[in-house]
Amino acid sequence: MELDPVEYAILSQSVIAAAREMGVKLIRSAYSTILREARDGSAALLDAEGGTVAQAELIPMQLGSIGRIFQPCAAMFPPETLEEGDFLVINDPYSGGQHLQDVFFFHPIFFEGTVIGFAASVAHHLDLGGGSPGLNAGARDLYAEGLIIPPMKVNMKRDWHGGGFQRLLRANVRVPQQTMGDFDAQIAANNIGVLRIQELAQRYGVGKVKATMAALQDYSERRMRAAIAAVPDGIYHGEAFLDDDGLGSGPLPVRAAVTIAGDSITVDFAGTAPQVGTNINAPFASVISASVSCLKAALTSPDIPFNDGSLRPITVIAPKGSLLNPNHPAPVRARMLSCSRAWNAVMQAVSQAAPERVIAQGYDTTTAFCLSWLGPAGWSVYLEVYGGGYGAGLNNDGCDAVDNPLSNCSNTPVEAMDQDFSFFRVTDYTLRTDSAGVGARRGGAGFSRSYEVLTDGALVSYYSDRFVGRAAGIFGGGPGAPGQCEVLRGGETISLTSKASFQLLKGDVVTISLGGGGGYGAPGDRPAALIQRDLEDGIISRELAEA
């Protein structure tokens, strides 16, 4: 169908606005701090074939491959077989999903009896069962990580409002009020998306809406190909390392060969470490998200919609049985660690082709930190995702104390924790002096947060990385500081590894410290005024300023 340019502009921006409204609805309807405060969830609109059309600007990792995650659901339950009230659900990493805590809901958008698209949402759920509350650091297979949901068709009337599927979920989670409330937030977000597309179809006609969905993806593809074509052809190599596998073996390499040929790119992760027995393996859908997100960030401008058209010029390959494409049933809960190193390796490769477009490595480590306690009223589970210091760029210092580019979660205010959790309190929350990598542009500073435990029987579980390795600087910039986690018990300081679970006592103080980002350019080229500003802000010490 031929689209009038004015109508296309109105319709395309309306679709994008609808996706953003879905994201707002998801966050504002949520119950848990991980979704309500940290915003660890996302929303999108898909066309009838499952191609992503528009997304809320929330978590790149969850949405970069959402169309690929939808396909196994559509293969089992074709859109033409769906009825009013049906929706599709998946979280199984080996059926197309990412990790079990990210549960995807796809609601069909009916108009005059025909499915014209899907409203989709995903949330990181606070607890989905498994061997330990919040996260099971000791899981050695997928089954120990939580409830596995293969591609399923669910009906709202029959299976949700007191129905079998809802009761099954509730029976398998430790904190049903927060978890089931977050599921309802996903449904509310999807309902908004369904309503907005139906309104557009009613006002402008279903043909124009479908044509706009296709044209919006084609637009992103054209812009993406034009950006790639501007980069010199060639094969560029990058690598990054994880500290270890959590069992003492490491470092583990992640290697990327980025081939640029005209207006297309192939990313091949041959040479990456084999899969391991702990949860740092990454399912392939996550690796696609990491690769495409990195290339889009480095080579294009933010105004290009991140939809299925953005993915068309990019091919991603990872050897089966490797860290980035494991065999079932390898655990994958901490897949963000390996995907962040995939991001680093791709960015390093791209830096050889387009040095002016890249940034130094950030701490780039998703630190999932969980405190849990079984009290008289049941389980209380606190989960938060931390970042660290961002990498510096050509004309900018790295941001301080932010999540990494793939995760993009927000800070959870201390007041929100005080409101929801009684078994601990935050006693310190501060930027880390001298944690930023030095350079003409410095990296972002890391931070630390301390928790005093107020009762016996609490448990800390977390996964992180770069407690040994550091975020590398670029073009002469220095590395950021590493991370660490310590428990102060009486007068004794107990140092924990980067991936750990530890039983706590009343009075213990747990301090998690996140590292800084790498610097950009020679430190001697940094202007004196910026050094003075960093000194006044406490980013650097007097000793470092004088050095």
Side-chain angles (χ1 to χ4, degrees), residues 36-401:
R36 186 186 77 229
E37 305 292 346
R39 301 176 173 231
D40 196 346
S42 293
L45 288 165
L46 283 58
D47 62 24
E49 290 71 45
T52 311
V53 178
Q55 308 182 22
E57 288 91 349
L58 288 167
I59 308 296
M61 189 65 182
Q62 292 173 331
L63 285 179
S65 60
I66 194 168
R68 306 295 195 274
I69 295 168
F70 171 80
Q71 294 307 323
C73 297
M76 186 164 289
F77 307 103
E80 63 271 17
T81 67
L82 301 178
E83 301 175 354
E84 292 277 1
D86 288 345
F87 64 101
L88 307 177
V89 184
I90 183 175
N91 80 340
D92 181 10
Y94 294 97
S95 296
Q98 296 215 11
H99 67 177
L100 296 183
Q101 285 66 32
D102 286 349
V103 183
F104 292 80
F105 280 11
F106 301 97
H107 280 68
I109 303 171
F110 284 94
F111 188 77
E112 297 178 347
T114 301
V115 176
I116 63 172
F118 288 84
S121 63
V122 54
H124 181 119
H125 288 278
L126 187 57
D127 184 84
L128 276 181
S132 185
L135 68 92
N136 183 6
R140 296 297 175 260
D141 62 23
L142 187 70
Y143 304 103
E145 295 192 302
L147 183 67
I148 302 169
I149 307 172
M152 289 186 63
K153 180 175 70 173
V154 179
N155 184 272
M156 283 293 297
K157 184 176 180 180
R158 180 187 66 238
D159 302 314
W160 194 252
H161 298 297
F165 183 65
Q166 186 188 49
R167 289 186 289 110
L168 175 68
L169 291 175
R170 178 179 286 273
N172 278 277
V173 300
R174 294 176 175 85
V175 282
Q177 180 180 6
Q178 291 98 321
T179 302
M180 302 313 295
D182 286 352
F183 279 124
D184 283 335
Q186 286 187 249
I187 293 171
N190 285 6
N191 285 343
I192 285 290
V194 169
L195 178 62
R196 294 294 178 258
I197 298 302
Q198 288 173 337
E199 289 173 345
L200 290 175
Q202 184 69 46
R203 182 171 182 179
Y204 294 96
V206 68
K208 290 182 179 179
V209 171
K210 293 174 73 173
T212 298
M213 288 180 169
L216 194 53
Q217 295 175 70
D218 292 342
Y219 170 75
S220 291
E221 180 183 4
R222 289 195 303 273
R223 292 284 305 277
M224 196 76 176
R225 289 192 183 278
I228 294 169
V231 180
D233 286 0
I235 302 175
Y236 307 95
H237 296 272
E239 67 178 4
F241 295 87
L242 290 101
D243 283 353
D244 56 57
D245 63 356
L247 297 175
S249 296
L252 305 175
V254 174
R255 298 190 172 97
V258 176
T259 302
I260 301 175
D263 62 358
S264 63
I265 289 181
T266 299
V267 181
D268 189 345
F269 288 101
T272 292
Q275 69 184 68
V276 297
T278 55
N279 61 8
I280 64 173
N281 303 290
F284 190 55
S286 298
V287 179
I288 294 173
S289 294
S291 303
V292 175
S293 296
C294 180
L295 292 169
K296 186 179 185 303
L299 300 180
T300 72
S301 55
D303 65 308
I304 301 177
F306 193 9
N307 57 35
D308 244 41
S310 303
L311 277 69
R312 291 173 188 165
I314 301 171
T315 301
V316 181
I317 304 167
K320 191 64 177 168
S322 71
L323 200 62
L324 301 182
N325 194 2
N327 293 310
H328 182 275
V332 297
R333 174 65 165 81
R335 97 281 191 213
M336 284 293 290
L337 299 179
S338 297
C339 286
S340 292
R341 297 301 161 263
W343 167 289
N344 294 150
V346 173
M347 186 67 77
Q348 185 186 77
V350 171
S351 72
Q352 301 157 37
E356 74 285 355
R357 302 300 303 271
V358 301
I359 60 174
Q361 289 183 7
Y363 186 61
D364 292 348
T365 294
T366 294
T367 300
F369 184 88
C370 180
L371 292 169
S372 59
W373 175 61
L374 179 58
W379 280 101
S380 182
V381 180
Y382 159 73
L383 178 68
E384 188 166 2
V385 176
Y386 305 130
Y390 208 73
L394 175 63
N395 296 309
N396 60 279
D397 291 342
C399 293
D400 304 321

